[in-house]
Each structure stands twice: as C-alpha cells, then as structure tokens.
Amino acid sequence: MFPALETERKQETLPDPYEDFMYRHLQYYGYFKDSLMLSSPLLRSRQLLFDELDQVNPRLREPRELFAFFSSKGTLQAPRWPIECEVIKESIHHIEWVPPQPEYFYQPTGNEKVPEIVGEEKGTVVYHLNPVPTEGSYFTSSRVGGKRGVIKELAVTLEGPEDDTLLFESRFESGNLQKAVQVDTYEYELTLRTDLYTNKHTQWFYFRVQNTRKDVTYRFTIVNLLKPKSLYTVGMKPLMYSQLDANIYNIGWRREGNEIKYYKNNTDNGQQSFYCLTWTIQFPHDQDTCFFAHFYPYTYTDLQCYLLSVAKNPIQSQFCKLRTLCRSLAGNTVYLLTITNPSPTPHEAAAKKAVVLSARVHPGESNASWIMKGFLDFILSNSPDAQLLRDIFVFKVVPMLNPDGVIVGNYRCSLAGRDLNRHYKTILKESFPCIWHTRNMIKRLLEEREVLLYCDFHGHSRKNNIFLYGCNNNDRKYWLHERVFPLMLSKNAPDKFSFHSCNFKVQKCKEGTGRVVMWRMGILNSYTMESTFSGSTLGSKRNIHFTIEDLKSLGYHVCDTLLDFCDPDKTKFTQCLAELKELLQQEIHKKFNERGEEVNLEGSWSDISLSDIESSTSGSDSSLSDGLPVHLLNIVDELNQKMMSKKKKKKPLQTRKQRNELHQKNKLMPEFKLTEDASDRAELGPTLQKQSTFYKTLENFRSSAMKNEKLSLSELNGGERSTSMDSKMTLILRKNKEKMQSKRPGFTPSCPQRGSTDSSQESAPGMKPNWPRNRYPVTKRSTTAMAAYPSLHVNTYP
C-alpha cells in the first residue's frame, strides 16, 4: 500500500516531517509488525534510533524545534535590526582576558580639569550618525543588516599620512555613539545616542577609534549623560581594548584613563540637565584600532556562539534542552534553557523543585550576562555539586530577555521604547513578547511544581559591590526567610557580595518589576540581583575593579548557595535566621534612637513592620515607568474592554419562560415574604375569596394586553408592576392549595418543610421572618398561562 522508505533520502525529496508522518502511518496499520521488516535497509528512517549493533531501538528521535536554532553547518542566526539602523559589514570580536594585576580605582587628586563644552559651532564634526528615531516614533519592521542600500562612510576622510584625526565608528552590534566633535588637535566631545524611540537613557557607550598616535595624550568628554550620580565620581575607570595588543600579546579589555571627572554640563536646553564624563588616555600603539566601553560588552552573537557550543556538546546537550521561548519584536530568538538530569521515575521527576534565572532585560547592563555565563559554565560542568543540583532541581534559564535592545546598543529599553522591567503585568503580548512569555512560562511552571527561587540579573551604576533586592514576606510562618539566601550568599562571597546593601521593601513604583510580579504569583524567594559596573569595597578586593572572572565566579557562588539553602541539615539555615533576628533588633534600636524614642523588644517585637524599618530602594538604578507609548494606548483599552465583557457575560437563558421566572424570583422575593407570612395564618375562606378575585383580575389583564400590544416604555413599566401583583397572588394560591392537599392521606410534600415545627420558633405577628432568600422555588407555569404575558420578556431586560 505504501512505498518502502529508502536508506538515504535527500532533504529536498522527502522532508523529515513527512517522513515522520509516513513512519507513524505505517506503524499504525501494522506495517512494522515483523521485526525482520524493521531491520530491513529499505525501511530505514532517520526518525528511528539504532544502537551500535544496528539493531532496532523502538524509539523515535526527539522532534525538531519549531524554529531551527542553528543550521546543519553550525552557522548562527544573523541579528535582525530595525530598518532605520545602518550597520557595517565588519564582524567585531574580542578575546576574554584576566588582568594579571588588580585594577584599582582611580584616586581623584582634586586638580582634574573641567573642560568647557564647545560644541560643533566652534569645533569640527568628525562623526555623525543619521537622525535616529526618538520619542513620538515607533518600531515598524526589521531586517538582517538593518537599513537597505549602500552604507555610507561617516568618518572624515584623512588628507594624508600626517593627518592624525581619529576615525570613529559605532554602527556595529551593541555599539553606541551618535556624534564626535573635534575641539582641539587631540580633544573630542562625544554625544551618545538615546535609546531608540525615546529621548533619554544615555549611559551605555561602546565605540571604535582608528588612526591612533602613540605617546600622545588624548581627551574624550561625553557631554549628554543624564544621571546626576555616577560611579565615575568614586573611582570607576572606562574600559579600553587594543586590537594590536590582543593580536600580539593576547591582552583584552583593561581599565584605563586619568584625570577622570564627572560633572554637570554648563549648557542648559531648558528641559533637562546633562552631565559630562571626561578622561584622558594614551594609546599603546601608532595606527592602532581601539575600542572604549562603559563595561565589558556581551552581545547577542556572543550568546549564540555559547549556546551553539552547548548544543554541539554531546554530554551537555543530554541534560540541557535549548528551546525558543518566543521571538522578540524585531524577530530575534529569545532562548529558554531547561537544565536538569533525567530522573529514574516519573514520580521523582515531578517532585523536583524549580529555579528560574534571567538576565539582560536591561540591555546596557552587560555585567548580568557575565554572571549568567558563570552560572551556566558551572551548572553544565561535570562537577559533583553541579550534578547534584541537576538531580534535585529543574533550572529554567532565559539568558537574554531583551535581545533587540542588546543588538542596537540601548541602555534600558526594548524597541517598544519602554523599560521592560516595569511592564511584567502587561497584557500586550505582541508589543512586549519577551516578558509576556516569560511570565506565562513561570505561571505554567508554578502549576506543575514549586518554584523555590526566581532571580533576575541586573547591573547598577551608582553603587559598588553586588547585592539583592527582595520582597518582605507577610506570612509570619516564614518570617525573615526571604533574607536567608542573600545572607548565605554574602558568607560564600564575602569580598564581592554586600548583605547590608540588600533591600526588601516593596514599593508601589516597582509593582511592574519581575521581582514583585513573581513574588505576588507565589514565589517567596524572588530577587533582583544588582551587580556594580565598578568594583568592590569589601575584604581582599577593596577598591579594586571587578573583572570578567569576578562576575563569572558569582555565578558559581549562586549554585553553591543553593546547595546550602536546601541542605537537609538545617543547621546553616537556623543559624542564619538567628543572625537575621539579631541584625533586625539592632536595626530597630538604631531607628528608634534616631527618632529619640524608646522601644521594648521583650514582647512580640516580630510584629513590627519591616517596611517601616527599611529605607526605600529609591537609590536603585531604576527609572519610573513612562506608561505606554501613544500608539499602544488604544490597543490596551480595547483589550481591557474585551476582558471585562468576558468576565461580565453570563450564560444566556434559552427560553422566554426561564427569563420570566428568573425575573419574577429576583423582583418579587423581598415583597413576597411578608405577604406569605400573612397568608400562612389566614383561613381557607378568605383565601378562596382572593382566588375568585384573582381570576377576575387575570381575565381583565388578558383582554387589556391583547388590545395594547404596542406599549410605550412607561406603560411597560406599569405592566411590570401589575404583573408582579398578579404573580404574588398566584404563588399564594398555589401555596395554600399544597397545604390543603397535604391533609389528604398518602400525600408526599414536594417541597422541604421548615427547619423546626416548634411554635416557639415562629415569628411574632407583624415581624419579618428570618428565612433564607431561596425558600420559595420558582413555580412551574403552563404554556396557557404564558400566553397572558406576551410582552413580559421586554420587561425582563429594560
């Protein structure tokens, strides 16, 4: 019935999905019942697994991904850029290198020069990008390579070998430099590009200079920084990379610069204040190509190279599954790694707790990627501790949440022009796909298993060291438990991690952050890890810049602390809790002493609100939410209206009869309670008199209803009141009829009796009985009775 599958078949003639379908179809119809047929070379399929002896293993290969990560040749996916961005064709690559000597902070002398800003009116523009999209515009489309057409040369043309003008360039991955103005022979004023589709967030810089001269002092001044405080004021140095040093001496990025000064710009545009960073430098070689950066760059291509090496590793790929979480706004892949060892039984697999880690939601905080790389290096290694962690946990890792921002060289925003770490509660799946899918992934994960810890890696531009922001727990059963992990981490990395810089206050302005949203979803240990752009002020690394290896080592310490935190022997956990209580008592005494008040902690001092003790995290390297761009506001309103309509919409009743009965039940019940109480005490004679009166009223209503089918709105309301009176009378008669029938022998009541027959429990005359509202079920009407109410369904929904 079906042709035999050939041993070797070209991809063009029979693609894998079709071959998989053919195999399953043949298997379904019993075509493979004979094991001899399975071993036949004519029936060999790439979907079947064979062992070393070429015997059939009745397992299918794992399905291919929805999106192909890497081609069979191992080439990477080219980054997709907004169509407004010009991109040079050159590939930029840097080596990793650890300085042999500590790189100490710059020590200000107090005599640093403060250059006056000249501007292009008195200087010469030597590099200027085309106008980039700012506030008011928005992302429309992307393509590999960015803007179409010929890439123009933006740097000045040298007049000859003696021309020592520097040649600037930043149109490469993660690069950021908008303009360079030469104001003296060896002095340049630099302007950074704002985040795309915004008019702010100038902090990250990364650019190239060529045509250098040795033993000459150059001065660079960045003129449009926005933060009034910076680590450059307390000794931080910029990073420099020499291409000749890398090629000849295998030297990579290093801290360089003298006469470093961070100060307020004397020019004022009337809207916002700018700040300047100035430094001097001497290049090591003539005719060298050098790079400057705010911090060690880590690009989207760097991440893909790393993931490609993991995917090709036959051992690591067994316990590290690479998946596509989603596509970014520009169409770049957001990767999700699931790391865990296979479990012997399904029960053990389901019992594993989960740990969720993410990084680079802020693209200019490249230190987060280096910590993530250190974590991945260790958790994917053959270390016994790493194997133990993979045995007891399921790790969900999103190594780069904002690839679009990383590619274009943004500092804080995505191509939506907004800070993603303020929009984790968003309902705009298409505009904020990375965080929407991350939150949704964690939501599904919580339905499957407990999530022990969530941590989002960040960078900080105003504080030294590494620290965590958490969320105070309101459950007294787990009081101070959210502080145990940070305290353990500070003990495992005492020269890098500062527990005293940690903060656990949940502010209203941080409700949209990943840390707070995941905490409100039920993750007790939900953190933001902040790593400085500078260095440490602790222990043996005091006043020394962090290197790449320092940050990667912190990734290892995170793993080490996880083992301590989950140790079955709770000695360390108990000791940390006791220490936390003592530290908290000291902090309470300090706060009350500052206020001049006395405090007695002998009682239930743990009831004191921790939020009142802690200061806010306003010193955090954060921005307030700008709200949504204008072009997204209407979309949000439409989605909210749809969601509200879905919540309010009830299942419709199918018949007019059901609608009428529901209407009567809701409208007549309050008034009917008193009437029914009186009817219960009435004698049968007056009731029969009411019955005759009712039939007369009913006949009059029938005749009037037939004559006046087209009623006005006011008449309909009146009809509703008349119908209500007649309905009450009908219910009274039916109730009395049932009581009369109950006296007959063999009668079984159709409705439940009162809870008590004791006369002492009866209500006093004239008082409203305390009965449940559902005491009277809706009575069943015949089709003949319904004919008397031809327009009642209109009154049901006025």
Side-chain angles (χ1 to χ4, degrees):
M1 182 177 178
F2 297 98
L5 303 178
E6 297 176 1
T7 306
E8 296 294 338
R9 183 162 289 148
K10 295 183 179 179
Q11 185 73 14
E12 307 88 62
T13 59
L14 186 60
D16 281 352
Y18 180 73
E19 183 179 341
D20 181 43
F21 164 76
M22 289 290 293
Y23 167 76
R24 295 178 186 274
H25 211 72
L26 293 168
Q27 188 182 46
Y28 177 78
Y29 281 101
Y31 198 68
F32 289 160
K33 287 183 179 179
D34 192 345
S35 61
L36 295 177
M37 295 183 67
L38 279 173
S39 60
S40 171
L42 295 178
L43 296 173
R44 183 67 60 85
S45 166
R46 286 192 297 273
Q47 297 299 314
L48 284 174
L49 295 180
F50 295 83
D51 58 23
E52 296 178 355
L53 299 178
D54 207 32
Q55 299 296 320
V56 174
N57 186 344
R59 290 187 297 116
L60 293 176
R61 294 184 187 275
E62 186 173 341
R64 294 186 305 168
E65 299 301 331
L66 179 61
F67 301 112
F69 296 116
F70 310 109
S71 69
S72 57
K73 297 180 180 179
T75 57
L76 304 177
Q77 294 182 29
R80 299 183 62 88
W81 296 69
I83 57 173
E84 301 95 338
C85 297
E86 290 186 349
V87 185
I88 62 174
K89 304 300 181 183
E90 300 176 55
S91 178
I92 307 298
H93 175 70
H94 305 299
I95 63 171
E96 289 188 31
W97 177 72
V98 180
Q101 300 297 328
E103 296 179 313
Y104 287 95
F105 292 170
Y106 173 74
Q107 299 298 323
T109 62
N111 299 321
E112 288 78 13
K113 180 182 177 181
V114 180
E116 182 181 354
I117 305 305
V118 175
E120 56 185 275
E121 291 80 9
K122 298 181 180 179
T124 303
V125 177
V126 296
Y127 178 80
H128 193 187
L129 279 179
N130 293 330
V132 295
T134 56
E135 184 73 23
S137 58
Y138 54 88
F139 171 78
T140 55
S141 59
S142 65
R143 66 183 295 269
V144 173
K147 191 174 183 179
R148 297 181 183 273
V150 179
I151 303 300
K152 300 177 182 178
E153 184 62 46
L154 298 183
V156 295
T157 303
L158 298 178
E159 298 178 356
E162 301 302 322
D163 191 344
D164 53 9
T165 303
L166 290 178
L167 304 178
F168 290 82
E169 185 58 82
S170 65
R171 293 172 296 173
F172 48 81
E173 196 174 347
S174 295
N176 190 315
L177 179 67
Q178 177 68 28
K179 182 171 62 174
V181 178
Q182 187 178 20
V183 297
D184 202 348
T185 306
Y186 301 111
E187 188 170 345
Y188 296 86
E189 291 178 0
L190 310 177
T191 302
L192 303 184
R193 174 183 56 75
T194 60
D195 283 5
L196 292 186
Y197 313 109
T198 76
N199 58 4
K200 53 185 177 180
H201 304 303
T202 52
Q203 181 73 30
W204 169 260
F205 61 87
Y206 176 30
F207 58 89
R208 184 183 74 186
V209 294
Q210 293 176 309
N211 195 37
T212 62
R213 296 294 186 268
K214 184 181 178 181
D215 298 330
V216 174
T217 300
Y218 289 82
R219 177 177 289 276
F220 298 101
T221 304
I222 300 175
V223 300
N224 67 329
L225 297 169
L226 292 175
K227 293 189 176 182
K229 295 181 180 180
S230 172
L231 286 168
Y232 288 110
T233 62
V234 290
M236 178 175 164
K237 292 183 178 182
L239 281 159
M240 189 196 77
Y241 184 94
S242 166
Q243 196 68 58
L244 288 177
D245 278 346
N247 296 339
I248 300 172
Y249 306 109
N250 202 35
I251 296 175
W253 289 97
R254 57 184 186 263
R255 300 280 182 173
E256 293 288 352
N258 286 298
E259 298 185 47
I260 300 172
K261 183 75 175 179
Y262 192 90
Y263 60 99
K264 188 174 182 180
N265 194 331
N266 55 12
T267 60
D268 188 4
N269 63 357
Q271 296 180 350
Q272 56 185 347
S273 299
F274 291 109
Y275 296 84
C276 299
L277 169 66
T278 186
W279 74 95
T280 60
I281 193 76
Q282 289 190 349
F283 293 110
H285 304 284
D286 287 327
Q287 302 297 328
D288 194 4
T289 296
C290 294
F291 295 83
F292 289 96
H294 181 58
F295 201 74
Y296 301 98
Y298 192 93
T299 66
Y300 182 63
T301 299
D302 292 333
L303 173 66
Q304 289 198 101
C305 290
Y306 183 83
L307 297 181
L308 178 60
S309 67
V310 173
K312 286 187 172 182
N313 188 305
I315 298 177
Q316 292 179 344
S317 59
Q318 295 299 312
F319 50 78
C320 177
K321 301 301 180 183
L322 189 60
R323 299 287 185 268
T324 295
L325 178 66
C326 65
R327 295 284 190 171
S328 67
L329 207 58
N332 294 296
T333 301
V334 180
Y335 296 100
L336 171 65
L337 283 66
T338 302
I339 305 171
T340 188
N341 282 340
S343 300
T345 64
H347 177 73
E348 293 183 28
K352 287 184 177 182
K353 296 181 180 181
V355 173
V356 181
L357 303 176
S358 60
R360 292 304 282 278
V361 68
H362 293 152
E365 298 170 359
S366 57
N367 32 11
S369 283
W370 292 108
I371 296 176
M372 179 63 76
K373 187 175 187 298
F375 166 80
L376 291 174
D377 284 344
F378 179 77
I379 201 65
L380 297 176
S381 69
N382 59 359
S383 164
D385 284 348
Q387 294 179 22
L388 178 59
L389 284 169
R390 296 196 301 266
D391 285 337
I392 60 179
F393 290 114
V394 175
F395 292 93
K396 294 286 186 177
V397 180
V398 186
M400 192 169 285
L401 274 165
N402 188 358
D404 295 346
V406 173
I407 289 169
V408 301
N410 279 1
Y411 173 61
R412 198 164 189 89
C413 297
S414 71
L415 294 185
R418 291 298 181 267
D419 181 351
L420 294 183
N421 201 36
R422 296 297 180 273
H423 291 276
Y424 268 91
K425 296 193 293 185
T426 184
I427 60 175
L428 297 178
K429 177 181 178 181
E430 303 300 329
S431 300
F432 303 98
C434 309
I435 55 173
W436 190 95
H437 283 278
T438 299
R439 185 192 65 199
N440 198 48
M441 177 269 293
I442 296 175
K443 183 179 179 180
R444 294 197 311 268
L445 187 64
L446 284 166
E447 295 172 356
E448 299 173 2
R449 64 186 76 246
E450 177 186 349
V451 178
L452 178 71
L453 180 139
Y454 164 86
C455 189
D456 189 22
F457 297 157
H458 285 251
H460 207 286
S461 67
R462 287 179 284 181
K463 286 184 179 181
N464 280 307
N465 307 312
I466 301 171
F467 47 94
L468 287 174
Y469 290 137
C471 302
N472 280 325
N473 182 32
N474 299 323
D475 188 349
R476 290 301 167 184
K477 180 180 178 181
Y478 303 103
W479 190 60
L480 298 179
H481 283 206
E482 73 280 353
R483 305 181 182 219
V484 174
F485 184 85
L487 183 60
M488 287 183 171
L489 187 55
S490 69
K491 296 179 181 298
N492 289 332
D495 55 353
K496 303 182 186 72
F497 190 91
S498 170
F499 179 76
H500 292 286
S501 297
C502 297
N503 198 294
F504 302 88
K505 189 171 184 176
V506 179
Q507 296 174 271
K508 186 177 181 180
C509 63
K510 302 297 178 66
E511 286 290 335
T513 62
R515 162 178 63 100
V516 177
V517 170
M518 303 312 162
W519 174 64
R520 296 206 182 280
M521 286 170 58
I523 304 176
L524 172 64
N525 303 294
S526 182
Y527 304 109
T528 297
M529 179 176 286
E530 299 281 358
S531 170
T532 181
F533 286 104
S534 183
S536 174
T537 60
L538 306 170
S540 61
K541 289 190 173 296
R542 183 178 180 84
N543 296 331
I544 297 175
H545 286 95
F546 281 150
T547 65
I548 289 175
E549 285 302 316
D550 289 326
L551 297 178
K552 290 167 67 175
S553 70
L554 195 80
Y556 155 75
H557 289 304
V558 169
C559 296
D560 190 30
T561 306
L562 267 176
L563 287 175
D564 291 338
F565 189 69
C566 300
D567 193 338
D569 182 0
K570 292 297 183 181
T571 302
K572 292 181 180 179
F573 193 97
T574 305
Q575 290 177 350
C576 286
L577 268 181
E579 185 176 343
L580 285 169
K581 292 177 181 179
E582 184 177 350
L583 289 172
L584 185 60
Q585 286 183 352
Q586 296 174 3
E587 188 67 23
I588 293 173
H589 278 293
K590 181 180 176 181
K591 290 291 182 181
F592 276 87
N593 289 335
E594 290 175 356
R595 299 173 184 175
E597 302 176 6
E598 295 184 359
V599 57
N600 181 15
L601 300 181
E602 297 298 329
S604 58
W605 63 275
S606 62
D607 291 333
I608 298 177
S609 174
L610 299 179
S611 299
D612 296 336
I613 300 170
E614 285 187 303
S615 60
S616 68
T617 58
S618 57
S620 66
D621 194 21
S622 60
S623 61
L624 297 177
S625 175
D626 296 325
L628 290 172
V630 176
H631 68 283
L632 295 180
L633 293 177
N634 292 335
I635 301 176
V636 173
D637 292 339
E638 292 176 3
L639 289 176
N640 285 330
Q641 290 176 5
K642 289 182 180 179
M643 293 176 65
M644 292 299 295
S645 63
K646 288 181 180 179
K647 291 180 180 179
K648 293 181 179 180
K649 189 174 182 181
K650 298 180 180 179
K651 185 177 180 180
L653 298 174
Q654 298 299 318
T655 64
R656 185 174 64 183
K657 176 182 175 181
Q658 291 174 314
R659 293 197 300 270
N660 292 340
E661 290 178 349
L662 180 63
H663 166 74
Q664 291 178 3
K665 178 180 178 181
N666 294 335
K667 294 289 291 184
L668 306 181
M669 192 60 65
E671 301 177 11
F672 183 59
K673 286 182 178 179
L674 291 175
T675 306
E676 175 62 14
D677 183 56
S679 66
D680 286 343
R681 295 190 297 271
E683 296 180 355
L684 185 59
T687 303
L688 293 176
Q689 184 178 0
K690 289 182 181 180
Q691 184 177 9
S692 61
T693 305
F694 164 74
Y695 283 119
K696 291 180 181 179
T697 307
L698 180 61
E699 188 65 27
N700 292 336
F701 178 80
R702 284 178 178 174
S703 59
S704 61
M706 296 298 291
K707 294 178 181 179
N708 301 284
E709 291 183 359
K710 298 180 180 180
L711 298 177
S712 63
L713 181 60
S714 60
E715 291 172 336
L716 287 173
N717 292 334
E720 182 179 354
R721 288 191 295 270
S722 175
T723 304
S724 303
M725 294 175 61
D726 294 336
S727 301
K728 287 191 294 182
M729 296 174 67
T730 303
L731 292 173
I732 293 171
L733 289 173
R734 291 173 185 265
K735 180 67 179 178
N736 291 330
K737 183 179 180 180
E738 289 177 359
K739 288 184 177 182
M740 293 176 64
Q741 291 177 346
S742 64
K743 299 178 181 180
R744 300 175 184 177
F747 173 77
T748 302
S750 58
C751 299
Q753 301 299 316
R754 296 184 182 183
S756 176
T757 58
D758 190 354
S759 59
S760 62
Q761 299 294 329
E762 294 180 1
S763 301
M767 293 183 63
K768 185 176 180 179
N770 187 20
W771 291 336
R773 295 181 62 86
N774 61 349
R775 169 170 154 71
Y776 298 99
V778 179
T779 58
K780 184 176 181 181
R781 296 191 181 91
S782 64
T783 55
T784 306
M786 287 299 299
Y789 305 93
S791 301
L792 187 58
H793 66 284
V794 179
N795 294 332
T796 305
Y797 302 101

